[in-house]
Amino acid sequence: MNYAYHIQTYGCQMNVHESEKLAGILQSRGYTACDRVEDADIIILNTCCVRETAESKVYGHLGRIKSQKRAGAVLAVCGCMTQRRDVAESLAKRCPFVDIVLGTFNQCRFGEYLDEFLHTGAKIVEVWDSAREECAAPIARTSGVNAWLNIMYGCNNFCTYCIVPYVRGRERCRPLDDVLADVDGLLKSGYKQITLLGQNVNSYEHKGKNFIDLLKLLDNGEKYRLKFMTSHPKDFSTELAEQISSSAVLSKSLHIPVQSGSNRILKEMNRRYTREEYLAKIAGLRALVPEIGLSSDMMVGFPTETEDDFLQTLDLAQTVRYNNLFMFIYSRRSGTPADKMPQLDYKTKQARIDRLIKAQFEISKRIAAEHVGRTATVLVSEKDGDKCFGKAEDDSAITFDGANVAVGDFVRVKITSAKNANLKGEVV
Ligand code: SAH
Ligand code: SF4
Ligand code: F3S
């Protein structure tokens, strides 16, 4: 008998990778992946709670899955949302058709929980307060030419709006040798891009070796592309900018979330840098790596944000000119300090995000137009017929025709046109 699993993932890359670990556990028990909930013997929702919208999506999907799932199929909910014990318990009550509810720290024992449930048939709700072990399960990778690789877990920063430190625990760095061995193995098995994951990779430290030491060791003469996320501006150093400039493997792109352009709001957010410090770091990086592609996260409607604070955020976006900007409306998260501050009304927040999105749309369009005529090295990640898709060094997405090109190739492509932010090119 062949059993099938279906995993639905919400949230960030970290969670995408956690789902690859859950899939690894299930595959080692003989289960195979399936696309449709209706075909699955086990369904897992790997949840996110960074914003309220992420949580409401989960409840919406649960309602649908209830009627779609096979009789006898096991339904499990895990991830950041159910790491909050109160949420785990209320979800178990509200949705009695859910069989297993786990926190993030319990997930790497998913196989054992599943066995227990299949044996006893009794609902399981278990949430540990902290990590008890590092997950040793095999990983069933799903991300094509790219492989995700944790170098650390958790976060110590406690930005006042953010739930992540509460659901992912304190910062824990993996041993340097383990990371190096994993990279070695991934390159041997043919991965062309590796993305190092951590909530704040800049603070990586293990036995006196820091993030820069790690990046130097990973510039190992192999031909591949190395990326990392996320980089906290307060810890972004000149040494890191120099490493990006000199490394043969590091992508010439950087995700460096600013959140706000107002010093007063940055302080309320506990971000521990000023607008001026942030801009000086960006200028220093651009002086060393002029072609760098920058992306960022920005939030509008943080408690007490005034029109003037918002204008400074808008101004910062226009000053930096990010290639890519992820824009969010501040969302209240219970248990965080910002939840207790005076809140803005929904209409104000919505109007501000609309203005920011509009401004960024124009910036992205112009940056794309500026790319026309340039030649880039593209890592091909998808191919459909002769149509190829991939990312350039600066993370620009480019489509082009490539009859003799294969997924995983690095190809020189001349950018011939730009429509909004979409680039087209031809092999040179
Ligand atoms: N560790 C990373 C990413 C954390 S979550 C970092 O520090 O950048 C990803 C993004 O979600 C954040 O950068 C932030 O912009 C957004 N975010 C976090 N909490 C939020 C909240 N309560 N409301 C709206 N957006 C939020
Ligand atoms: Fe959240 Fe701040 Fe940690 Fe990022 S650095 S995960 S925004 S607390
Ligand atoms: Fe990621 Fe969401 Fe958790 S952003 S760390 S999946 S709360």
Side-chain angles (χ1 to χ4, degrees), residues 54 70 96 136 217 277 279 329 386-387 419:
R70 279 187 192 172
L217 288 163
E277 284 161 355
L279 288 172
I329 293 182
D386 283 349
K387 206 166 207 55
K419 188 165 177 262

Side-chain angles (χ1 to χ4, degrees), residues 50 154-166 199-200 230 232 234 257 259 269-272 297 299:
V50 79
C155 182
N156 288 348
N157 286 315
F158 290 95
C159 303
T160 54
Y161 51 80
C162 186
I163 196 74
V164 171
Y166 305 89
Q199 294 297 352
N200 179 17
T230 296
H232 194 300
K234 79 176 160 58
Q259 313 301 353
M269 287 177 162
N270 189 31
R271 290 292 287 180
R272 288 172 280 172
D297 297 341
M299 200 185 295

